[in-house]
Amino acid sequence: MGMKCIGVDVGGTSVKIGLFEVTGELLDKWEVKTRKEEGGSHILPDVADSIREKMAAKGLDLKKDLAGVGLGVPGPVLPDGYVEVCVNLGWHGLNPQVELSRLLDGIPVKSGNDANVAALGEMWQGGGKGYKDLVMVTLGTGVGGGVIMDEKIVAGRHGLGGEIGHIHVRDEEWEHCNCGGVGCVEQICSATGIAREARRKMAASDKPSALRQYGESVTAKNVLDAAKDGDELALEVMDVVGRYLGLALSMVVMTVDPEIFVIGGGVSKAGQFLIDVVQKHYDHFTPISKYKAKLGLATLGNDAGIYGAARLLL
Amino acid sequence: MGMKCIGVDVGGTSVKIGLFEVTGELLDKWEVKTRKEEGGSHILPDVADSIREKMAAKGLDLKKDLAGVGLGVPGPVLPDGYVEVCVNLGWHGLNPQVELSRLLDGIPVKSGNDANVAALGEMWQGGGKGYKDLVMVTLGTGVGGGVIMDEKIVAGRHGLGGEIGHIHVRDEEWEHCNCGGVGCVEQICSATGIAREARRKMAASDKPSALRQYGESVTAKNVLDAAKDGDELALEVMDVVGRYLGLALSMVVMTVDPEIFVIGGGVSKAGQFLIDVVQKHYDHFTPISKYKAKLGLATLGNDAGIYGAARLLL
């Protein structure tokens, strides 16, 4: 029986936990509720209890069979593991990797920001498998990112590494982004952004479109489905999304020049259609060389976090 | 007597060579002419001869006293040292680090792109001394860049790492950049770009300005001098330059989040005035956090290349 490792992905609603072979095979996964009350002080003890129970049920020994536990945290993590504040969990001034290790008899625990950790997961066993230098972009409610160079996370000195969603790309934007900026990638290319762009396009013309049946409640999925069906207005929306995402990726190319971009998150369920929309603009903004990072799709979905967390230790 | 190392910076006109203590002290520097004839085939033998002469003159032994030679090349260098083409030198399909090592009795030789190597030099003994994660931006005839993470060059998988000069920042640009793109940082923030911006501003209005005496032959230095003297039109030019450079730096922050940006090249002779112009816009485009990379000035000037080349080996 080979060594195991555990990946923990702490989210605002639930904590996902996975038990892995150190070779990358997922043996079991489960979830525990995220108890945010009392400053999130129950979260790590709940995780530790759950890990102990699972190990006992499988006849595994914490110290003998586990290489350690990796931990993805939904907020900035300093190089030593310290978390100044994690709004989603209620944490303030905590070092969760030190704390969880203490709760688990001192076994090694290593933590990282969840978007960066997901990128590591895709590198290990997902859409970036076989690559050492990759950048993941997650198109969900927001736009997250993770930069991996030489198989290691580039978290940055102030936790801003991979914050691709907050690259400024659109000068003529007028609404503010959550980050305080104006014209961020996230405002256009997230699921929320795509829906907003569709509402704007509908309001700006009388062009007939399948999207009009949804009115103000149009979603990114509606837009992607209609665009795939050839709906002209939906295609215009996706062309704007592709332009700004392609532009942002070109900026990343001129900075770290990865082997591959891995695109994940709910919006990436549109698959090759999305890649094609982005590729056109990405090529336009990188005339400097035909040799550059390819565009690919993430494959691990919501499990990227537990995979990446487990990989943190190896 | 401690170990020495040699840094070689191959330029289109001359090759700069420096002899260093491995601790970073420059002991001697000299130049040899770059003979580009016959496909640049004399360049490396000339360098090897010059190194042998210098070592002999100083009573140093190639094998016993030298840790090795580092080599900065003005073009893309693949991870194994291979140079597919180096237009400025006439090189085609050559591995200069293998070749130079062969010419120097097999002592270790390591090569890198000259902009990346200059960044490493500034990290070692220049404006980035004491930092491990820095990004250098060189504002000269063009705009070059080098990304250093954890004291190592991020050259990228296709040699595009640090090509910050070719980040697209200006949608309304109409002229083409050398790279084939339109609206690159280099078109605005290089010495050439600053002069062009000044010509455009002069043509667009009748505003009186000290720059008008230079007409079409206005230079970046004219613009910087006039701006420091409070010339309104020159200040407008520099505000445009600061906006686009600040924007480009903000994009780099959201990708690799360094500790410091080191700004070098001829334009950086404007010193703190330039930093202030850029800082204002850089802050505007990074509202996401007050904790981020500071802006600093390069200090090694034209010697950054030999310093960085020597550091390549250590």
Side-chain angles (χ1 to χ4, degrees):
Chain A
M1 197 169 61
M3 282 293 273
K4 316 281 185 263
C5 55
I6 282 181
V8 179
D9 183 17
V10 185
T13 310
S14 69
V15 183
K16 294 185 185 66
I17 310 179
L19 175 68
F20 294 83
E21 295 286 356
V22 292
T23 50
E25 192 195 340
L26 177 61
L27 300 172
D28 195 3
K29 62 174 177 171
W30 65 101
E31 297 190 10
V32 299
K33 200 171 162 297
T34 305
R35 288 200 285 152
K36 289 188 282 190
E37 54 268 32
E38 295 166 60
S41 61
H42 300 292
I43 298 173
L44 293 173
D46 287 352
V47 168
D49 288 348
S50 174
I51 289 173
R52 283 183 187 278
E53 274 171 38
K54 182 64 71 171
M55 297 295 283
K58 294 202 178 275
L60 294 168
D61 184 90
L62 204 59
K63 292 214 152 187
K64 275 194 298 207
D65 298 316
L66 267 196
V69 176
L71 189 66
V73 176
V77 178
L78 293 185
D80 67 351
Y82 187 77
V83 173
E84 197 168 294
V85 58
C86 187
V87 191
N88 290 338
L89 306 179
W91 287 352
H92 286 268
L94 179 76
N95 192 317
Q97 74 184 30
V98 169
E99 183 67 12
L100 187 58
S101 176
R102 194 184 58 76
L103 290 164
L104 290 171
D105 303 346
I107 67 168
V109 177
K110 207 166 167 208
S111 60
N113 165 268
D114 58 357
N116 294 335
V117 164
L120 195 65
E122 289 289 343
M123 180 203 78
W124 193 31
Q125 297 294 336
K129 191 167 179 176
Y131 298 94
K132 292 180 171 188
D133 299 338
L134 72 88
V135 174
M136 183 173 179
V137 183
T138 304
L139 309 175
T141 312
V143 172
V147 176
I148 308 287
M149 290 280 126
D150 200 19
E151 303 188 58
K152 283 186 279 293
I153 290 171
V154 177
R157 279 289 164 157
H158 319 82
L160 301 175
E163 281 289 358
I164 289 159
H166 299 291
I167 289 180
H168 170 92
V169 284
R170 189 192 239 172
D171 281 346
E172 61 273 28
E173 180 58 53
W174 62 92
E175 291 181 29
H176 273 77
C177 178
N178 292 330
C179 75
V182 179
C184 295
V185 173
E186 177 164 300
Q187 291 183 281
I188 308 157
C189 306
S190 62
T192 326
I194 294 172
R196 189 190 69 158
E197 210 61 32
R199 291 194 301 272
R200 285 184 176 181
K201 285 264 184 221
M202 285 192 281
S205 81
D206 288 325
K207 184 176 281 186
S209 165
L211 297 180
R212 295 199 182 274
Q213 63 183 300
Y214 308 110
E216 289 293 300
S217 43
V218 67
T219 65
K221 184 169 188 314
N222 299 150
V223 176
L224 283 157
D225 288 346
K228 284 186 181 178
D229 286 345
D231 183 274
E232 210 175 303
L233 196 135
L235 282 167
E236 285 173 20
V237 172
M238 288 314 299
D239 194 58
V240 171
V241 171
R243 178 184 196 279
Y244 289 109
L245 188 56
L247 173 55
L249 300 188
S250 80
M251 292 159 173
V252 175
V253 163
M254 308 301 186
T255 308
V256 293
D257 183 18
E259 293 173 277
I260 188 170
F261 286 102
V262 175
I263 303 180
V267 174
S268 75
K269 289 184 186 153
Q272 192 58 38
F273 175 80
L274 177 72
I275 298 288
D276 293 343
V277 164
V278 178
Q279 183 86 48
K280 175 184 139 195
H281 296 281
Y282 169 64
D283 287 343
H284 172 76
F285 287 117
T286 50
I288 192 168
S289 176
K290 60 182 173 174
Y291 303 106
K292 59 199 162 204
K294 62 187 92 172
L295 309 186
L297 291 164
T299 61
L300 299 177
N302 291 331
D303 287 346
I306 53 172
Y307 274 93
R311 180 63 173 69
L312 270 180
L313 276 136
L314 306 177
Chain B
M1 196 171 61
M3 283 292 274
K4 317 280 186 260
C5 55
I6 282 182
V8 179
D9 183 17
V10 185
T13 310
S14 69
V15 182
K16 296 186 184 66
I17 310 180
L19 175 68
F20 294 84
E21 295 286 357
V22 292
T23 51
E25 192 195 339
L26 176 62
L27 300 171
D28 195 3
K29 61 173 176 172
W30 66 100
E31 296 192 9
V32 299
K33 196 169 164 299
T34 305
R35 290 201 283 152
K36 288 188 282 190
E37 54 268 33
E38 296 167 58
S41 60
H42 300 291
I43 299 173
L44 293 173
D46 287 353
V47 167
D49 288 349
S50 174
I51 289 173
R52 283 183 186 278
E53 275 171 36
K54 182 64 71 172
M55 296 296 285
K58 294 203 177 275
L60 293 169
D61 185 88
L62 203 60
K63 292 214 152 188
K64 275 195 297 209
D65 297 317
L66 267 196
V69 177
L71 189 66
V73 176
V77 178
L78 293 186
D80 67 350
Y82 187 78
V83 173
E84 195 168 295
V85 59
C86 186
V87 191
N88 291 338
L89 306 178
W91 287 352
H92 285 269
L94 179 76
N95 193 316
Q97 74 183 30
V98 170
E99 184 66 12
L100 186 59
S101 176
R102 195 183 57 75
L103 291 163
L104 291 170
D105 304 345
I107 68 167
V109 177
K110 205 167 167 205
S111 60
N113 166 267
D114 59 357
N116 293 334
V117 164
L120 195 65
E122 289 289 344
M123 179 203 79
W124 193 31
Q125 297 295 335
K129 192 169 178 174
Y131 297 93
K132 293 181 171 188
D133 299 337
L134 72 86
V135 174
M136 182 173 182
V137 183
T138 304
L139 308 174
T141 313
V143 172
V147 176
I148 308 287
M149 290 282 125
D150 200 19
E151 302 188 61
K152 282 184 280 295
I153 291 171
V154 177
R157 279 289 165 158
H158 319 81
L160 301 175
E163 282 288 358
I164 290 160
H166 299 291
I167 288 180
H168 171 92
V169 283
R170 189 191 238 173
D171 280 346
E172 61 274 27
E173 180 57 53
W174 61 92
E175 291 181 30
H176 273 77
C177 178
N178 293 330
C179 76
V182 179
C184 295
V185 173
E186 177 164 300
Q187 291 183 282
I188 308 157
C189 306
S190 63
T192 326
I194 294 172
R196 189 190 68 157
E197 210 61 32
R199 291 195 301 273
R200 286 185 176 180
K201 285 261 185 224
M202 286 192 280
S205 82
D206 288 324
K207 184 176 282 186
S209 165
L211 297 181
R212 295 198 181 274
Q213 63 183 300
Y214 309 108
E216 289 292 301
S217 45
V218 66
T219 64
K221 185 169 187 316
N222 299 150
V223 176
L224 283 156
D225 288 346
K228 283 184 181 179
D229 285 346
D231 184 274
E232 209 175 303
L233 196 135
L235 283 167
E236 286 173 19
V237 172
M238 288 313 300
D239 194 58
V240 171
V241 171
R243 179 185 195 278
Y244 288 110
L245 188 55
L247 173 56
L249 300 188
S250 79
M251 291 158 174
V252 175
V253 163
M254 309 300 185
T255 308
V256 293
D257 183 20
E259 291 173 278
I260 189 170
F261 286 101
V262 176
I263 302 180
V267 175
S268 75
K269 289 182 186 152
Q272 192 58 39
F273 174 81
L274 177 72
I275 299 288
D276 293 343
V277 164
V278 178
Q279 184 85 49
K280 174 184 139 198
H281 296 282
Y282 169 64
D283 288 343
H284 171 77
F285 286 118
T286 50
I288 191 169
S289 176
K290 60 181 174 175
Y291 303 107
K292 59 199 163 205
K294 63 185 88 171
L295 309 186
L297 291 163
T299 61
L300 299 177
N302 290 331
D303 288 346
I306 54 174
Y307 274 93
R311 180 62 172 70
L312 270 181
L313 277 135
L314 308 176

